[in-house]
Amino acid sequence: MNTLPILTIQAAERLLHTLEDLLEKSEASFAMIIDRGGIVLSQHGELPDNADPTIVAALAAGSFAATRELALRVG
């Protein structure tokens, strides 16, 4: 069974500052850090009104898992 990640206040602040820096340098409007299970660890910026960060994170995690499995199978 997967457990929820536990972040210290300092780690959460570092993640947030990293995302702020990424958004500034990339000129993106939104960034998030998720774990492999699709749990949002940190997010910053603005998503379009119809986008839910939880759903985006779950889809990204599923895509990562599928790509990893495909790579393992084809070598």
Side-chain angles (χ1 to χ4, degrees):
M1 177 180 209
N2 291 339
T3 60
L4 294 175
I6 297 173
L7 295 175
T8 63
I9 292 173
Q10 293 83 8
E13 288 175 354
R14 280 194 312 264
L15 288 176
L16 184 58
H17 290 301
T18 300
L19 289 178
E20 290 171 347
D21 187 48
L22 174 67
L23 288 181
E24 183 179 317
K25 290 179 180 177
S26 68
E27 298 181 15
S29 59
F30 180 78
M32 73 169 73
I33 298 173
I34 65 172
D35 72 356
R36 288 184 182 182
I39 295 172
V40 178
L41 301 177
S42 186
Q43 65 183 35
H44 188 68
E46 294 293 325
L47 268 174
D49 291 336
N50 60 348
D52 179 353
T54 305
I55 293 172
V56 172
L59 291 170
S63 177
F64 175 82
T67 301
R68 181 183 60 206
E69 186 62 28
L70 180 62
L72 289 172
R73 294 188 182 267
V74 298

